[in-house]
Amino acid sequence: MGKFRIGFIGCGEISIYQAKGISQANNAEIGMVMDVVPTLAQDLGEKYQVPYTTDVDELLAQEDIHGIYVAVPHYLHAPMAIKAAQAGKHVMVEKPIAISLQDADAMIEAAKESGVLLSVCYILRYLASSIKAKELIDKGAIGEVIGIKMMSISDKSSSYWHGGYSGRAKSDWRTIKEKSGGGVLIMNISHNIDLMRYLTGLEAKEVYSDYDTFLTPVEVEDMIVTTLRYDNGAIGLIEAGSCMRGGHPFNRNYYGDRIYGTEGQIMLGNPLMVYTTKEIDGLEKDKWQEIQVDQSWDTRTKYTEKFVDAVRRGIAPPITGEDGKRALEIVDAAYRSGKEKRMVNINNSHS
């Protein structure tokens, strides 16, 4: 069986990392790339020695392209993903899945109607530290989860808002609410939201949030604090800011996310920090310990390989469109809560 050939819609900043990940995959390869900015499409196409175009219809007409990776401004995720699905291509879309729940539903429905898979690139699940944390939680190392903390603290430069971290693609879409969907919550913390759902299996039921734009000349929030109540009664906290002078003061191996349980806690990062009151193989009880994990693979390579494997086996991908919608529901509820100054309930009665 030949390699699964992937076409790119969007050749900007994040695509550089996805292209590198795919190039290392054992079951996939880049087949063609597309961007409305000719120099971006040419640059990526020439780097990986594949055809490039500025015409999305030309890309989708290629019969030897089996899947599409969508990495465009957030408001274009839905139209591009739907167009790709309707062309019979399996779809991997960058996070967030979309900027509205209606768009997310439309994407999920289009994939179902076309008989293709839809997945969202929540690659934190494939960090070695995440895999180890999941294993420990499933073993009962921290007991029942009673608390979750998610953090994203950064000091984004003014250039970020018009060119990302690399300045590769110039655009103001990040600054505009209708195009980005929001600021630090939807752009950054949505990764953490998905990871915590995956690690704990918990769904948020109630969300209360407050946010503002303090130091950045944009329409979206540059600081937000959110509390959550989960379906098992656990309490969650989101603390995020993109205007924090000095950024994150901690060792970059530890990014601030924690899971508290009745029998211990886990601080995410590498090394993983773990405390447990239980007898667990490989751990000392009643003592903080570091667990060094070997990050020997590219998370985007792992993500791609797992997605392609699901396509070939005819099963749902490990990270589904529905997973993307679950994360977006929390984001959407947080924004509504901050705007309306009230607790927002999430209805988790999903089909």
Side-chain angles (χ1 to χ4, degrees):
M1 184 181 291
K3 287 193 173 183
F4 185 88
R5 292 173 60 79
I6 298 170
F8 278 46
I9 298 180
C11 298
E13 176 159 319
I14 205 78
S15 297
I16 295 297
Y17 303 102
Q18 185 67 18
K20 180 185 175 187
I22 292 172
S23 73
Q24 298 172 18
N26 59 30
N27 56 5
E29 64 186 8
I30 303 168
M32 189 176 186
V33 298
M34 172 268 160
D35 198 291
V36 293
V37 179
T39 53
L40 293 180
Q42 181 179 355
D43 177 65
L44 200 63
E46 288 181 349
K47 181 171 183 178
Y48 289 96
Q49 299 181 311
V50 297
Y52 53 89
T53 181
T54 57
D55 183 354
V56 71
D57 292 319
E58 181 185 351
L59 170 63
L60 295 178
Q62 305 301 312
E63 290 185 8
D64 66 343
I65 296 295
H66 311 117
I68 294 292
Y69 166 69
V70 177
V72 291
H74 295 171
Y75 72 105
L76 295 173
H77 283 190
M80 291 299 101
I82 290 168
K83 193 175 180 73
Q86 290 173 342
K89 312 297 187 187
H90 301 283
V91 180
M92 299 177 285
V93 63
E94 265 306 325
K95 60 80 201 160
I97 185 172
I99 61 171
S100 74
L101 295 173
Q102 293 80 5
D103 279 354
D105 283 334
M107 293 163 71
I108 292 167
E109 188 59 31
K112 284 181 180 173
E113 286 181 357
S114 299
V116 299
L117 298 190
L118 170 65
S119 179
V120 184
C121 298
Y122 280 124
I123 57 170
L124 292 189
R125 295 191 187 194
Y126 295 118
L127 286 170
S129 55
S130 300
I131 294 167
K132 185 63 177 179
K134 173 80 169 155
E135 176 192 316
L136 292 172
I137 291 167
D138 289 350
K139 278 184 181 176
I142 63 169
E144 183 184 358
V145 174
I146 58 172
I148 292 172
K149 181 181 180 184
M150 294 167 263
M151 179 183 280
S152 176
I153 301 298
S154 62
D155 186 3
K156 292 182 179 177
S157 67
S158 57
S159 62
Y160 166 85
W161 298 96
H162 299 276
Y165 290 113
S166 67
R168 176 177 168 81
K170 304 294 187 186
S171 173
D172 64 355
W173 69 268
R174 292 176 180 84
T175 71
I176 300 167
K177 174 79 170 174
E178 283 189 354
K179 293 185 175 182
S180 62
V184 65
L185 182 70
I186 197 168
M187 289 185 188
N188 303 107
I189 281 283
S190 64
H191 262 307
N192 310 62
I193 289 171
D194 175 78
L195 180 60
M196 290 302 185
R197 282 190 65 248
Y198 169 67
L199 292 180
T200 68
L202 301 181
E203 300 285 3
K205 304 293 281 185
E206 297 173 342
V207 179
Y208 181 81
S209 189
D210 217 347
Y211 58 87
D212 211 329
T213 309
F214 287 105
L215 297 174
T216 320
V218 297
E219 295 178 5
V220 299
E221 85 285 352
D222 59 15
M223 182 177 177
I224 186 165
V225 175
T226 301
T227 58
L228 309 102
R229 179 72 79 157
Y230 290 91
D231 48 7
N232 75 332
I235 295 173
L237 173 68
I238 292 171
E239 178 187 350
S242 58
C243 67
M244 306 315 189
R245 299 302 179 238
H248 203 308
F250 305 127
N251 184 318
R252 291 308 301 169
N253 292 329
Y254 163 62
Y255 44 85
D257 289 358
R258 300 174 80 150
I259 304 171
Y260 305 98
T262 53
E263 303 289 346
Q265 58 176 293
I266 291 176
M267 297 166 62
L268 295 179
N270 190 6
L272 212 58
M273 299 291 293
V274 183
Y275 185 95
T276 181
T277 64
K278 300 177 72 176
E279 298 283 356
I280 301 288
D281 283 347
L283 295 178
E284 292 184 62
K285 62 181 290 192
D286 301 325
K287 178 186 175 183
W288 274 107
Q289 53 224 285
E290 295 184 355
I291 300 179
Q292 195 77 42
V293 289
D294 178 20
Q295 184 66 57
S296 58
W297 57 85
D298 184 296
T299 53
R300 290 181 177 273
T301 300
K302 185 80 76 175
Y303 168 84
T304 301
E305 289 175 346
K306 297 278 190 182
F307 178 79
V308 173
D309 184 56
V311 169
R312 291 186 162 163
R313 293 171 59 194
I315 61 174
I319 307 169
T320 63
E322 286 81 0
D323 286 326
K325 184 186 174 186
R326 294 296 88 79
L328 187 62
E329 282 177 329
I330 294 175
V331 170
D332 177 72
Y335 285 144
R336 281 193 290 136
S337 172
K339 184 178 181 181
E340 300 169 12
K341 305 299 182 189
R342 66 177 182 88
M343 177 82 75
V344 171
N345 291 304
I346 296 177
N347 177 9
N348 287 120
S349 57
H350 302 296
S351 57

